[in-house]
Amino acid sequence: MMHAASATEEGRRFELEGACLWGKVLGSGRPVLLLHGVTANAYVWEPVAELLSGSMSVVAVDQRGHGRTGPAPDSDYTAAAFARDVAGIAAAMGEPLLVVGHSLGARNAVEAAARYPGTVAGVVAIDFTPFIEPPVLETLGARVAAGDRSFADLDEVRAYLRRRYPLLPDVGIQRRALYGYCKTAGGQLRPLADPEAMRQICAGLADDLAPALARMHVPGVLVRGASSALVSPEAFRRTQRLRPDLPAIEVTGADHYVPEERPAAVADIVLSFADRFSGERANNRVAGEG
């Protein structure tokens, strides 16, 4: 597995097995990796990253098939491939990572923790759990596929995004418009997210996540947007029954897109989790010395 990382003018490239991931790195301190949802990119994490960067070394990446990373050379968009990427970034950073994932990113964080426990120190899984109902995932797939289209200009993109993400603040809509699309030779705008990758990813989200979550032996937190259309209350309750040891938090004033709609709440959850985890590690060391 290759783990070399190179700096670029606008970000950092992580040379990994089967993919070269683009990422943003800021701050200093305990490393935290931010993983976005399907069709998104590292920029959607900007408000959260800025709040965390005062005390943490924040890495936000464009996952394979997305953003400035683009299609994976190995065309592998399975959960195993995404988990391998997380392990590769941890190796490049030189220590286990606290992984904060939203939606697809939450699935990938859990899979990485289950498959590569030595590379993941803890997981904050936001609005993706086992037990999501099949019709809900089918609706997500159709919605993602409908976004594979051309737009005349940024105004048309923003209007489309406003309809698709009604609770996002205007700055969030603007961020997605500016950083999620590229201009074609004909002057139109198209999504950076690769359509074939999105198709495969959406199909893979239907795979059963329960076994991975059950064997995840690092600390974790489960987060749901209180108005989420993806993670139903029943799916969240079933997940809590599967892992009653993991704190479960519902964030009010948010649907599925919690990090963009309630960034301060997400940053508080991450910082509180990191503090608690650090305290537990310190107590364990003291107990071991005694």
Side-chain angles (χ1 to χ4, degrees):
M1 190 182 293
M2 297 173 61
H3 302 299
S6 60
T8 68
E9 189 170 329
E10 60 172 358
R12 181 173 179 177
R13 291 275 177 185
F14 294 89
E15 299 285 349
L16 309 174
E17 180 183 342
C20 175
L21 304 189
W22 182 91
K24 297 184 68 177
V25 182
L26 66 157
S28 61
R30 182 182 184 86
V32 57
L33 175 63
L34 307 180
L35 301 177
H36 59 75
V38 64
T39 77
N41 56 68
Y43 283 96
V44 302
W45 285 107
E46 274 192 337
V48 174
E50 290 171 3
L51 291 167
L52 297 178
S53 63
S55 59
M56 307 185 83
S57 178
V58 183
V59 181
V61 296
D62 288 355
Q63 298 187 84
R64 55 175 59 213
H66 294 80
R68 285 140 195 83
T69 291
D74 62 3
S75 300
D76 189 350
Y77 299 103
T78 60
F82 283 105
R84 189 170 64 242
D85 290 345
V86 172
I89 294 170
M93 297 297 290
E95 62 181 295
L97 303 172
L98 170 59
V99 186
V100 181
H102 169 246
S103 195
L104 166 69
R107 190 281 306 267
N108 297 342
V110 170
E111 287 284 353
R115 294 170 185 266
Y116 304 98
T119 67
V120 176
V123 169
V124 178
I126 303 173
D127 223 72
F128 195 91
T129 68
F131 315 119
I132 296 175
E133 298 80 2
V136 174
L137 291 174
E138 290 169 8
T139 298
L140 173 65
R143 186 179 183 188
V144 168
D148 178 28
R149 47 167 289 196
S150 297
F151 299 85
D153 52 31
L154 272 176
D155 285 341
E156 188 175 346
V157 171
R158 283 189 286 258
Y160 163 75
L161 293 174
R162 173 51 64 206
R163 294 190 298 271
R164 182 166 172 175
Y165 307 108
L167 295 188
L168 254 64
D170 289 342
V171 67
I173 295 294
Q174 179 73 351
R175 189 178 292 112
R176 279 188 174 251
L178 289 177
Y179 298 115
Y181 294 80
C182 60
K183 188 167 287 189
T184 68
Q188 294 186 310
L189 294 170
R190 288 194 58 81
L192 280 172
D194 179 70
E196 175 57 22
M198 299 308 102
R199 185 191 67 78
Q200 292 188 42
I201 288 167
C202 286
L205 290 177
D207 294 344
D208 187 7
L209 185 61
L213 185 60
R215 68 175 188 271
M216 186 182 86
H217 297 305
V218 299
V221 178
L222 305 172
V223 181
R224 174 182 181 266
S227 301
S228 176
L230 186 75
V231 179
S232 68
E234 177 58 22
F236 202 51
R237 282 192 293 269
R238 291 183 68 189
T239 304
Q240 292 174 65
R241 289 196 291 269
L242 175 66
R243 289 300 305 266
D245 57 309
L246 301 181
I249 300 170
E250 290 193 276
V251 178
T252 59
D255 54 24
H256 175 58
Y257 302 94
V258 189
E260 295 172 86
E261 295 163 357
R262 296 291 312 280
V266 170
D268 284 346
I269 290 168
V270 174
L271 291 170
S272 296
F273 174 63
D275 288 345
R276 178 174 61 82
F277 180 46
S278 297
E280 288 175 358
R281 290 179 65 187
N283 290 336
N284 290 338
R285 284 197 300 271
V286 170
E289 291 167 1

